[in-house]
Amino acid sequence: MEPAAARPRPVLTAGSVLPEDAGRAALVARVHDPEGDGPCVAAVRGEHVVDLTAHAPTVSDLMERDDAAAVVRDADGGRAWLLDDLLRAVPGRRDMPRLLAPVDLQVIKAAGVTFARSLLERVIEERTGGDPAQAARVRARVGQVVGGRLDGVRPGSPEAARAKELLVAEGLWSQYLEVGIGPDPEVFTKAPVLSAVGTGADIGVLGSSVWNNPEPEAVLVVDSRGRVRGATLGNDVNLRDVEGRSALLLSRAKDNNASCAIGPFVRLLDDGFGLDAVRGLHIGLRIDGPDGYVLRGSSSLREISRDVLDLVAATQGAHHQYPDGFVLFTGTLFAPTEDRRTPGGGFTHEYGDVVRISSPPLGALVNTVVASEEAAPWTFGVGALMRSLARRGLL
């Protein structure tokens, strides 16, 4: 295995990661500042990224402010960095200013099985026991029986109940179908607080995994009162062989070093970018392999089976509170099935893959795939953040 540091890295520029209408967007960033030895809350203003930590010591605090968009656009800032310089920084280097994931104290949650196409792929993983060699055969069987029965079915509806009866009769009912078309969505904790990586960083899959893929998703940023305050992009990296062996291995499949990427920026909701714009997001995916391999895919939130606010309500309410807010991956339509390594083996990552997840209103999240064991270790947790803020007189 080639060491991660020896592999070529993608060249990122402001023009390659910013939203197409960046001049009209209220964009929140986080920057690692080696002078303060800690993260800064920042605003993207043109080619500069401006420190706003004096106004809000954490992104979580900023999201609690009703005037967050005005602060991001107009508040006097501290030091500033050129966005291009931040994007050229080497991932993991603590002596260089660099972009971080644009969230901090928010709990990182994810909704699964929210699109019919990816729902069926989860059923296939389960039926194969995580063995990619069996996927084509099982996919054909599931497609023959299920067909278009799930198209347009609203989860929890009488139509969904009738579809369940048919699938049970065919011996194809699954726990994934239960959360896909049943009354309750799957919402799980994707990663620990502060563990997500940002654009330009390495993203990890376990070295033992032989069947895995990216999951390009829209990510909602929600405050402590359950209000959606902004949106960004995320990669909910999935180990299909691990989860396919047992759904009880979800944490092993989902939560590993560098296995969660969020970014490049949080775009705050405002008059020009509201919830309906989020509901209409189109998310593109491009994977460039070190061997010249290219895979393209896409996902549209217009095809999601549950409204984004229904997913938020399933996460927070009288049953569960998040005093520092949360971010919520909304699921993906993308489920790659084309063969890459061997006939019938389907898609899986190669180390060195460059994964670009993009959406015109949100910009581009770009990461390079490495083994989780090779990615920069996660060392900056909540305690370190509190100590850093205290040293800087921000608490």
Side-chain angles (χ1 to χ4, degrees):
M1 183 188 305
E2 183 184 6
R7 301 187 188 107
R9 309 204 64 84
V11 177
L12 302 182
T13 64
S16 69
V17 303
L18 282 169
E20 64 178 11
D21 60 342
R24 297 193 298 271
L27 300 174
V28 180
R30 280 175 73 239
V31 176
H32 167 69
D33 176 18
E35 291 187 12
D37 192 28
C40 297
V41 180
V44 181
R45 297 175 182 171
E47 62 183 11
H48 289 92
V49 179
V50 180
D51 183 7
L52 295 179
T53 313
H55 300 275
T58 66
V59 175
S60 172
D61 286 318
L62 179 64
M63 295 302 145
E64 296 298 316
R65 296 184 60 151
D66 292 335
D67 63 347
V71 170
V72 168
R73 286 194 175 94
D74 303 321
D76 292 337
R79 59 177 311 194
W81 304 266
L82 282 172
L83 179 54
D84 279 335
D85 288 346
L86 297 176
L87 292 168
R88 281 194 290 265
V90 177
R93 286 275 297 271
R94 295 194 60 81
D95 60 339
M96 302 175 69
R98 69 183 191 279
L99 287 178
L100 303 170
V103 298
D104 42 41
L105 292 178
Q106 297 96 333
V107 176
I108 303 173
K109 308 291 288 187
V113 201
T114 54
F115 292 84
R117 191 188 309 167
S118 60
L119 183 162
L120 295 180
E121 286 300 310
R122 299 291 87 77
V123 175
I124 290 161
E125 288 169 16
E126 180 183 47
R127 293 279 161 171
T128 64
D131 179 5
Q134 304 298 317
R137 176 184 58 81
V138 175
R139 187 174 292 112
R141 167 63 177 157
V142 171
Q144 177 186 12
V145 174
V146 176
R149 289 179 180 176
L150 302 182
D151 294 346
V153 172
R154 184 168 56 85
S157 68
E159 293 81 10
R162 286 193 290 272
K164 177 177 180 177
E165 291 175 4
L166 290 170
L167 293 166
V168 169
E170 293 284 350
L172 279 176
W173 187 247
S174 159
Q175 56 202 332
Y176 293 103
L177 288 162
E178 178 63 46
V179 297
I181 65 174
D184 299 312
E186 177 191 27
V187 180
F188 58 94
T189 300
K190 162 65 181 177
V193 169
L194 287 173
S195 68
V197 300
T199 202
D202 290 333
I203 194 163
V205 299
L206 282 182
S208 59
S209 176
V210 298
W211 191 20
N212 48 71
N213 61 260
E215 293 194 352
E217 305 188 22
V219 180
L220 307 177
V221 181
V222 186
D223 70 9
S224 65
R225 287 171 278 179
R227 302 179 301 171
V228 178
R229 304 305 310 277
T232 185
L233 296 168
N235 188 347
D236 179 15
V237 178
N238 185 41
L239 308 184
R240 301 188 70 178
D241 48 354
V242 175
E243 187 177 355
R245 284 159 47 205
S246 171
L248 296 180
L249 292 171
L250 181 65
S251 180
R252 179 70 168 169
K254 292 287 190 179
D255 181 10
N256 298 291
N257 189 37
S259 66
C260 176
I262 299 176
F265 317 109
V266 173
R267 181 165 185 170
L268 298 178
L269 300 190
D270 56 20
D271 292 341
F273 181 72
L275 270 176
D276 284 342
V278 174
R279 292 183 174 106
L281 285 172
H282 180 86
I283 299 171
L285 172 78
R286 177 176 171 132
I287 300 171
D288 288 277
D291 55 354
Y293 173 88
V294 176
L295 176 67
R296 294 179 177 86
S298 63
S299 184
S300 172
L301 258 68
R302 294 189 185 280
E303 298 186 49
I304 200 168
S305 58
R306 303 179 193 265
D307 186 70
V308 293
L309 290 185
D310 291 335
L311 296 176
V312 170
T315 307
Q316 174 163 332
H319 65 291
H320 204 314
Q321 297 77 45
Y322 295 87
D324 296 302
F326 62 96
V327 297
L328 179 63
F329 283 72
T330 55
T332 185
L333 183 65
F334 178 72
T337 59
E338 69 175 56
D339 294 338
R340 183 174 188 181
R341 293 177 178 168
T342 59
F347 171 86
T348 196
H349 272 305
E350 297 282 357
Y351 298 150
D353 280 352
V354 175
V355 181
R356 177 185 173 87
I357 297 170
S358 61
S359 183
L362 298 177
L365 172 66
V366 185
N367 302 99
T368 302
V369 175
V370 301
S372 289
E373 296 87 342
E374 284 191 12
W378 174 41
T379 59
F380 195 90
V382 175
L385 175 61
M386 295 301 106
R387 289 188 290 273
S388 172
L389 294 175
R391 281 196 304 269
R392 290 180 278 166
L394 295 166
L395 289 182

